[in-house]
Amino acid sequence: MITEEKEKAGAEPSVECSVPKKSDVSEKRGLVIGAELFASVLFLAVASIALYIGNRPAEAIAVAAALLAAGGSVWTSVRQYRDLIGLGRTDFRRLMYVVYDGRISENGLRMPFALRLAPLALSALCAAVCLVRAIFGGVGDYGTALSILTVFCAAATMGVELPAMIAAANGAAALKQRDIEVGDAEKLGSAAKAKFALADKSVFFALKGTETGGVYINGKVYGVSELGFSELYPMIVALNVCDDGALSAAFGFRQRLTDSILRSLRTTQLEHGELFGFQVEDFVPYDPVSGVAQATCVSGSFTDPRIAPKTYLAGKPDAIIPHLRWEFDSNGLRELNEADFKRIRLHLRQTYAAGREVIAVASRADRSGDLALIGFLHVNCVISEEARESVNELRDVGVELVYVSEENESCAFYHARELGVARDMSQVLTGSRIDRFRPENLVRAARHARLCAEAGPSHRRALTRMLASEKIVMAASKSGDDELLQAADVRITSAGGKYSTDFSARGCSIEDVSLVARVARSVCAAAKRAEYQLFCGPVCAMLLSLFTLTFYGEVPFGAAAMVLLSVLLPLPLVLMTAKMDVCPSKRTVFALVEKSGGGKAPLKAGLGLAAWNLTGCFVTAVFACWIYGSYAQNEAIGAGGASSAAFLTVCAYMLANGLVCRAWDKSILSLKDDSSGVKFIVAALVLLVIVFCALRISAAAGVFGMSVLAYSKLPFTILPAVCMLLAYEIGGAVIRRRKSSSEK
């Protein structure tokens, strides 16, 4: 009987899902991993040879040393963080391939290709301007052409792999501290772009998140403590032999149902011993399709050794009630009539509406297959405060949570409403509705649903496919065989199964899902901030070279100084910036996260930071160009002092920009309360002092094409940096004030 229904229910629902298959990384061709690093080596060789031939051996050695130091630090760091994540060389190249070639809409670690090309494009423009001046205005200084050539080298050595790898490695380490293993580092970028999180009901309740809420026996409802062991004996026996853990897990419980009842009854060791004598002859584990578990057992108990083999069933009421004919009462078996069935269904509706799970327990009365009702077990699912907070955190970072459960619709809606996931019945889908929907209507319904109740394996699979065709989806379940994971882009589970696991969480709770989403977004935010910081160095140097070459016919400082400014100076700031915010605190809204609200189109906050860097680069380059022209005409300062002023102007801007990247979307003054922020400020100031002290050495100043600048001229060099910091603080204060007033 039950087997036949299982075969019928096992048929696939009539829901056709056409989801475009995403191309595998191994199928892509035409891009060399580490192309920027290889290009740097080529430009290094050409620039060093050209400088040496041009009778400038000191600059040739300085350029080679600077670029080797930059390349060596990139290579060493990549190797270190590759080992930290646990990636082999092949997997590392695959990850970098995804970072390079993946679409921005699907990978939060991806940096816009146009930004990467900007330094090379600007340096090519500088080379073109230099060539035009050489043709129409005379050859000029040979060092100008060499400096422009070296700009190409500096622009190529971006080390774009480094920020992504550092952030991903630190994010993986932060998750590991919370007992979450990252199976695929590439998925950090995908998780940061996830718009939906499908969570099985079991992930919402903690270890002690269930309570025995009572029983229904002999037509009445009792609290467990109101009955004794002997009165609950048939139900305890049935649950003891039927529940191998799968039945409890199917209803989202962490402990066996028998254990829960025995603890509620505070039974003795003698009463426990009653259950040890049962020998199971035939056992059918719980199956989601049939909805029941059943076992045939023989008693070896000392209380009644003559008992014949008996078959018990436990599971969903809807799977057992259609086969009921009898009910146990105080006088034995009593045949059920229509009024009894109405009373049972009314009781179930009231119990479900109160948010209680119901497990039906029955026994086979005779060979006809008819069942006798032993009773219903009521279980309360206690939602923790942490689960509610995690739901809010997911919503804050732009992830819509969908509660997926096999529960009755009323019971599931009660829990979803308690969690704050679903507000009204218009956000509810059920398995039967999924079967009836047309594919185009199912996509629309799934997009707006926040609860999917009475969902079997086929329904869970169809729901995931539909949402995955729209947005990137994270799916979380304690079982690695859950069909919820099949079509998901990012999979979170606590156990191995037929589906690969991207994040393995020991507890696999909703708190873990929230943590993965927040850390993934924080990883991508840190990587992008570091990439923008690394990006602004060469762009500022190239703009400065372009302006001075256009107006004054020369590059403000030598080739070695260009490399130092474009490569070595931003690299320490990048290393520190990429390590920030990879283990965020709760209820933090991060920058560079797509936010949406009020029905408006999504706003990419990352564009604001990119625009800030571009604007700052342009303004600083114009100011540095003006200060170079003003100082170069002063005989007391000369071209060497003017180049020092231009260099320090750009240097101060880059340090100020590092502070802005570190504190983006917050106040820089808040860094004083953050130990890592204080270290960042101290390191930036120490770096500035070291650079200035190096310029005070005559030999070093000569190699870098600069001479010592008088102390009285220093305040002018930091003017753009100070103005930028003030503009950031004032603008941020105005925005925060408006936001707080609008919330009120």
Side-chain angles (χ1 to χ4, degrees):
M1 174 198 63
I2 298 293
T3 307
E4 292 177 358
E5 290 207 351
K6 175 181 175 181
E7 292 177 355
K8 292 179 182 179
E12 291 288 332
S14 57
V15 179
E16 298 181 1
C17 308
S18 56
V19 181
K21 182 182 178 182
K22 297 177 182 178
S23 58
D24 189 74
V25 175
S26 60
E27 299 175 1
K28 298 180 181 294
R29 297 291 184 271
L31 187 64
V32 180
I33 305 305
E36 293 169 345
L37 194 59
F38 297 149
S40 301
V41 175
L42 175 62
F43 284 121
L44 161 67
V46 174
S48 298
I49 293 173
L51 287 169
Y52 184 78
I53 294 175
N55 294 322
R56 301 174 71 173
E59 277 204 326
I61 295 173
V63 167
L67 288 173
L68 283 175
S73 62
V74 170
W75 182 80
T76 303
S77 299
V78 165
R79 184 173 181 180
Q80 172 189 353
Y81 287 101
R82 185 188 69 190
D83 295 339
L84 181 61
I85 297 179
L87 294 178
R89 182 172 298 178
T90 303
D91 293 333
F92 164 73
R93 289 184 178 275
R94 178 175 176 272
L95 173 61
M96 287 301 101
Y97 195 102
V98 173
V99 172
Y100 268 96
D101 196 57
R103 289 187 294 179
I104 297 177
S105 60
E106 297 178 358
N107 189 349
L109 288 169
R110 178 80 160 88
M111 188 177 180
F113 193 60
L115 289 180
R116 293 179 181 172
L117 289 180
L120 285 174
L122 286 173
S123 59
L125 183 60
C126 287
V129 173
C130 180
L131 181 62
V132 170
R133 291 189 66 91
I135 294 175
F136 295 99
V139 177
D141 182 14
Y142 184 62
T144 300
L146 295 177
S147 298
I148 295 299
L149 180 63
T150 312
V151 167
F152 274 104
C153 184
T157 309
M158 289 281 287
V160 174
E161 303 100 330
L162 193 57
M165 286 299 295
I166 292 176
N170 283 281
L175 290 173
K176 192 172 184 179
Q177 293 176 356
R178 308 287 184 90
D179 292 330
I180 301 175
E181 296 287 342
V182 179
D184 188 352
E186 169 196 337
K187 294 301 182 178
L188 282 167
S190 300
K193 289 290 185 178
K195 288 300 177 186
F196 291 99
L198 304 181
D200 181 53
K201 176 233 175 172
S202 60
V203 309
F204 288 93
F205 305 101
L207 182 61
K208 297 181 180 179
T210 56
E211 298 174 353
T212 304
V215 290
Y216 175 92
I217 294 178
N218 298 334
K220 295 182 180 180
V221 181
Y222 300 92
V224 175
S225 59
E226 298 175 14
L227 299 175
F229 180 82
S230 59
E231 295 170 293
L232 286 177
Y233 185 71
M235 177 175 286
I236 295 175
V237 170
L239 293 175
N240 184 60
V241 297
C242 288
D243 187 14
D244 64 340
L247 179 61
S248 298
F251 284 84
F253 309 146
R254 298 291 186 87
Q255 63 277 342
R256 287 167 57 95
L257 299 169
T258 315
D259 299 335
S260 176
I261 296 179
L262 291 176
R263 280 198 301 271
S264 300
L265 292 173
R266 298 182 179 179
T267 50
T268 65
Q269 291 297 326
L270 180 63
E271 291 170 331
H272 276 248
E274 285 285 311
L275 303 176
F276 296 153
F278 283 91
Q279 298 179 356
V280 177
E281 292 186 340
D282 186 26
F283 175 69
V284 179
Y286 179 82
D287 181 76
V289 177
S290 65
V292 298
Q294 60 183 10
T296 302
C297 61
V298 178
S299 172
S301 170
F302 60 85
T303 58
D304 191 0
R306 296 166 298 174
I307 190 170
K310 196 166 187 178
T311 300
Y312 292 97
L313 298 92
K316 294 181 178 180
D318 292 341
I320 291 179
I321 288 177
H323 308 288
L324 290 178
R325 183 180 177 186
W326 312 90
E327 181 181 21
F328 283 99
D329 63 10
S330 56
N331 298 320
L333 287 179
R334 180 179 64 83
E335 190 169 2
L336 295 170
N337 53 39
E338 189 62 29
D340 293 324
F341 282 108
K342 288 183 179 179
R343 169 174 45 84
I344 289 174
R345 292 190 176 93
L346 175 61
H347 167 72
L348 290 177
R349 285 198 300 270
Q350 292 173 342
T351 307
Y352 285 138
R356 291 181 176 179
E357 291 274 22
V358 179
I359 298 171
V361 181
S363 64
R364 185 155 291 143
D366 51 38
R367 294 183 179 180
S368 65
D370 292 332
L371 303 181
L373 178 65
I374 296 175
F376 296 114
L377 175 65
H378 304 160
V379 183
N380 291 326
C381 297
V382 181
I383 300 173
S384 63
E385 188 62 32
E386 291 77 8
R388 291 187 178 89
E389 291 180 2
S390 297
V391 171
N392 292 330
E393 289 164 7
L394 285 168
R395 190 179 294 112
D396 287 343
V397 297
V399 179
E400 292 292 345
L401 184 66
V402 182
Y403 182 105
V404 183
S405 173
E406 296 179 351
E407 298 170 280
N408 175 274
E409 180 181 4
S410 299
C411 184
F413 180 69
Y414 179 91
H415 294 145
R417 187 176 56 189
E418 284 290 300
L419 284 164
V421 175
R423 297 183 301 274
D424 52 64
M425 296 300 292
S426 66
Q427 297 177 310
V428 179
L429 269 180
T430 61
S432 58
R433 291 173 195 160
I434 290 178
D435 291 337
R436 295 195 301 267
F437 269 121
R438 293 181 179 180
E440 60 273 13
N441 294 334
L442 178 56
V443 174
R444 191 181 308 111
R447 191 186 304 129
H448 297 289
R450 295 298 174 264
L451 166 63
C452 185
E454 302 174 14
S458 57
H459 307 130
R460 301 157 88 90
R461 184 168 57 251
L463 176 67
T464 312
R465 284 178 174 173
M466 288 296 98
L467 290 178
S469 66
E470 295 286 306
K471 299 287 185 180
I472 294 177
V473 171
M474 289 194 302
S477 175
K478 293 185 183 300
S479 171
D481 296 324
D482 194 335
E483 297 295 338
L484 202 65
L485 304 173
Q486 185 189 53
D489 302 280
V490 181
R491 299 165 181 167
I492 306 173
T493 183
S494 58
K498 60 183 178 181
Y499 301 117
S500 60
T501 301
D502 301 319
F503 296 91
S504 180
R506 181 180 299 177
C508 195
S509 62
I510 191 62
E511 292 92 332
D512 295 328
V513 178
S514 172
L515 184 64
V516 168
R518 290 186 293 115
V519 169
R521 279 162 166 73
S522 185
V523 162
C524 296
K528 282 186 169 57
R529 284 199 299 269
E531 287 172 343
Y532 289 140
Q533 172 63 25
L534 189 63
F535 155 84
C536 74
V539 167
C540 195
M542 253 72 77
L543 286 173
L544 178 58
S545 301
L546 183 61
F547 289 144
T548 55
L549 186 63
T550 303
F551 293 106
Y552 304 106
E554 58 182 0
V555 176
F557 33 74
M562 296 280 289
V563 175
L564 179 67
L565 182 65
S566 301
V567 178
L568 287 184
L569 186 61
L571 197 57
L573 300 177
V574 169
L575 296 177
M576 296 191 68
T577 305
K579 292 183 179 181
M580 303 297 181
D581 293 340
V582 291
C583 188
S585 58
K586 287 189 173 184
R587 305 192 66 78
T588 302
V589 180
F590 302 100
L592 303 170
V593 177
E594 291 187 3
K595 305 173 185 177
S596 60
K600 298 180 180 179
L603 172 63
K604 293 186 177 180
L607 294 178
L609 184 54
W612 177 270
N613 278 272
L614 287 172
T615 304
C617 285
F618 181 80
V619 172
T620 304
V622 171
F623 183 87
C625 179
W626 171 79
I627 201 173
Y628 174 81
S630 302
Y631 285 2
Q633 297 173 1
N634 190 333
E635 296 181 357
I637 300 176
S643 64
S644 296
F647 183 88
L648 291 175
T649 299
V650 177
C651 180
Y653 155 70
M654 292 179 63
L655 294 178
N657 186 70
L659 291 177
V660 171
C661 288
R662 169 65 184 91
W664 184 254
D665 207 26
K666 296 181 293 185
S667 171
I668 293 177
L669 300 177
S670 64
L671 294 179
K672 69 179 185 301
D673 300 324
D674 183 0
S675 59
S676 61
V678 173
K679 292 178 182 177
F680 183 87
I681 295 174
V682 172
L685 294 177
V686 169
L687 182 62
L688 180 60
V689 171
I690 291 174
V691 171
F692 177 73
C693 291
L695 294 181
R696 299 293 297 174
I697 303 174
S698 300
V703 168
F704 289 105
M706 295 177 288
S707 60
V708 179
L709 183 68
Y711 284 104
S712 60
K713 305 297 181 181
L714 286 179
F716 295 99
T717 63
I718 65 172
L719 187 59
V722 172
C723 292
M724 185 181 69
L725 293 178
L726 289 176
Y728 174 80
E729 283 294 337
I730 295 173
V734 172
I735 292 174
R736 287 188 291 272
R737 184 178 181 85
R738 287 184 177 179
K739 187 181 297 185
S740 61
S741 61
S742 63
E743 291 176 353
K744 292 179 181 179

